[in-house]
C-alpha cells in the first residue's frame, strides 16, 4: 500500500468523513448525497471517493471528480494502475477477498464507492451500502449486472424487453437440453463473467461439451472451484451492435446518441458516434436503454440507494432491423471513449457529476461535433512482454481533428489495450480512417 508520487498530504490517510448526525438519518440517500461538501479534498471534511478498479476508464472518472474537489483513492489488484497514478492515494489488494475489502472500507471510510471491475466481494459491498456509503450506481445494481441470469430475467421477464431466445443451465445435461430448445447455432456464456471470457459459439450438438468446459475454465474466477451456471442463447442474425450510454442523475434519466462499434473476440476495437441508423432506429434503441435503466434504478431506490451514474446499455441490431437488448455495464463503457471527442460532456464527466448528485440534462449529453460529422475511437492494443513506450506522437497527431490518450499501464504481458486514438471526420468512414491512421503512425516499443 502507498501513496502516488503526486499526493501532497500524508495526513489524508487518517482523515475520515463526518458521521451522519442522528437527526439527519431520516434524510433520503439522494438528498444526503446531493449535499456533500466539495472543494476541500485535503481538508477537514472531504467527500471521499474510493475506486474499486483503477484502469483507464476509472482514471478519466477520477480526474473529473478531482476537478470538482473530491478526494480520490484508487484500489486495484496491482500497483501502478492508470487511476492510481492520478489519485490522492492508492491501494493494491484482492478485491474479491471479503476480509481484504472490508479492511479497506474500514480504513478509507469512503462516502462514495465506485466499482470499476466485476471481481468484487458483493456481500461486503452491500453491507457497506446498508451502513450508509453510496455505492455507484448501487450495490443492488452491481450484483444484478454481474449476474447474466438476474439481468436477463429482469430485462425480458420483468421489463418486457426483446432479447434472443435463451435458457439457463447448471449442469452439462441441462446445457444440452437448453441448447436443443434454443437451437443451433447458439452462444454459451458463464452467467458470472464478462468481456468474452469463457464464451463459445456452438454450431452443432457435438460441440456442446467443449462449450461447457470452456465456460467453466475460461470464465473469470475459474480458480474458485465452484460450478458456474451458464446461459445458452440463440445466435441471432446480427448486423451490428450498438451502445447507448444512459445516465441516471438527480434530474432523472437521459440517453446519449447511439454508438456504433466493432469488436474482436468480445473486446472493443473501434467505436463511432453518432451511429448511422435508418429512420426511427435511434429512438427505438434509446427507448430500450431507458427502460432497462429505469428498471435497474427502481431496484436501487427500493433498496434505499440512489442508482446514479452512467450505464452502458449494449444492444443487437439484427438483419431484419429489429433491436434486441443484450447486456448492461453499470459504469462508463469502453466504446464510450469516443465521447471524449464527440459530446458536450464525456461519459466520464457525466459519471462524476451524476454520482455527486449534480443534475444531468439533455444539454449535457448533446453532441458538439459539426452537424453531419462523426467522431471515432480506435483502441491501440499492444502485444509483447515488458514496458511500453510510444514515440512519433507528433507525427501521429499531425492530422487536424485527431487526439490520443495513452493509458500509462505499467506493463504488457501478452496483449493489452494501452491507448486510444480519437478523431472527428466528415463521415463514419472518414472518422474511423483518421483514428486508425493515428494508431498506425505511432512507433510502439516493448522492452
Amino acid at each position: 500500500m502507498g501513496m502516488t508520487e503526486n499526493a501532497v498530504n500524508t495526513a489524508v490517510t487518517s482523515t475520515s468523513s463526518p458521521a451522519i448526525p442522528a437527526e439527519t438519518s431520516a434524510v433520503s440517500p439522494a438528498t444526503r448525497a446531493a449535499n456533500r461538501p466539495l472543494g476541500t479534498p485535503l481538508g477537514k471534511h472531504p467527500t471521499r471517493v474510493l475506486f474499486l478498479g483503477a484502469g483507464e476508464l476509472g482514471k478519466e472518472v477520477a480526474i473529473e471528480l478531482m476537478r470538482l474537489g473530491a478526494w480520490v483513492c484508487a484500489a486495484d489488484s496491482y500497483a501502478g494502475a492508470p487511476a492510481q497514478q492520478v489519485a490522492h492515494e492508492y491501494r493494491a489488494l484482492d478485491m474479491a477477498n471479503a476480509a481484504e475489502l472490508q479492511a479497506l472500507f474500514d480504513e478509507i471510510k469512503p462516502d462514495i464507492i465506485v466499482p470499476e471491475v466485476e471481481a468484487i466481494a458483493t456481500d461486503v459491498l452491500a453491507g457497506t451500502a446498508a451502513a450508509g456509503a453510496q455505492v455507484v450506481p448501487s450495490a443492488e445494481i452491481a450484483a444484478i449486472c454481474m449476474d447474466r441470469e438476474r439481468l436477463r430475467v429482469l430485462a425480458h421477464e420483468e421489463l418486457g424487453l426483446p432479447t434472443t431466445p435463451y435458457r439457463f443451465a447448471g449442469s452439462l445435461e441441462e446445457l444440452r437440453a437448453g441448447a436443443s430448445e434454443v437451437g443451433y447455432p447458439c452462444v454459451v456464456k458463464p452467467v458470472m463473467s464478462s468481456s468474452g471470457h469463457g464464451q463459445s459459439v456452438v454450431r452443432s450438438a457435438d460441440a456442446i461439451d467443449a462449450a461447457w468446459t470452456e465456460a467453466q475454465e475460461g470464465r473469470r474466477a475459474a480458480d474458485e472451484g465452484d460450478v458456474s451456471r451458464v446461459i445458452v442463447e440463440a445466435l441471432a442474425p446480427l448486423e451490428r451492435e450498438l451502445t447507448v450510454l444512459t445516465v441516471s442523475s438527480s434530474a432523472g434519466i437521459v440517453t446519449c446518441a447511439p454508438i456504433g462499434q466493432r469488436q474482436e473476440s468480445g473486446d472493443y476495437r473501434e467505436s463511432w458516434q453518432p451511429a448511422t441508423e435508418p429512420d426511427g432506429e435511434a429512438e427505438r434503441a434509446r427507448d430500450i436503454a431507458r427502460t432497462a435503466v429505469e428498471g435497474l434504478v427502481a431496484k436501487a431506490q427500493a433498496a434505499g440507494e440512489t442508482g446514479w451514474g452512467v450505464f452502458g446499455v449494449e444492444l443487437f441490431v439484427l438483419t431484419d432491423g429489429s433491436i434486441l437488448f443484450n447486456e448492461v455495464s453499470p459504469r462508463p463503457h469502453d466504446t464510450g471513449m469516443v465521447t471524449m471527442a464527440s459530446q458536450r460532456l464525456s461519459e466520464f464527466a457525466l459519471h462524476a457529476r451524476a454520482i455527486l448528485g449534480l443534475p444531468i440534462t439533455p444539454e449535457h449529453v448533446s453532441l458538439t461535433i459539426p452537424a453531419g460529422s462523426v467522431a471515432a475511437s480506435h483502441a491501440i492494443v499492444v502485444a509483447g512482454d515488458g514496458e511500453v513506450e510510444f514515440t512519433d506522437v507528433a507525427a501521429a497527431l499531425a492530422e487536424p481533428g485527431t487526439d490520443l490518450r495513452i493509458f500509462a499501464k505499467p506493463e504488457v504481458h501478452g496483449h493489452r489495450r494501452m491507448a486510444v486514438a480519437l478523431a472527428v471526420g466528415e463521415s463514419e468512414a472518414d472518422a474511423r480512417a483518421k483514428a486508425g491512421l493515428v494508431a498506425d503512425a505511432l512507433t510502439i516499443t516493448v522492452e
Side-chain angles (χ1 to χ4, degrees), residues 123 145 147 150 173 227 241 310 390:
D123 289 348
C145 292
D147 186 336
R150 291 185 66 188
E173 291 71 25
V227 173
E241 297 181 59
V310 167
F390 294 84

Side-chain angles (χ1 to χ4, degrees), residues 186-190 196-202 207 210-215 233:
C186 58
V187 180
V188 176
K189 306 174 186 176
H197 292 276
Q199 178 175 317
S200 301
V201 176
V202 182
W212 172 261
T213 300
E214 174 59 23
E233 53 187 333

Side-chain angles (χ1 to χ4, degrees), residues 380 382 388-396 404 406 437-446:
I380 299 172
V382 178
V388 178
E389 294 183 351
F390 294 84
T391 53
D392 293 324
V393 175
L404 176 70
I406 297 174
L437 288 173
V438 172
D440 292 342
L442 293 167
T443 299
I444 304 173
T445 305
V446 183

Side-chain angles (χ1 to χ4, degrees), residues 57 61 245 310 331-340 343 345-352:
L57 305 185
V61 181
L245 298 174
V310 167
R331 59 186 65 90
H333 199 269
D334 293 345
T335 61
M337 283 193 276
V338 69
T339 61
M340 291 187 284
Q343 291 191 169
L345 292 177
S346 73
E347 64 171 345
F348 310 111
L350 293 169
H351 199 50

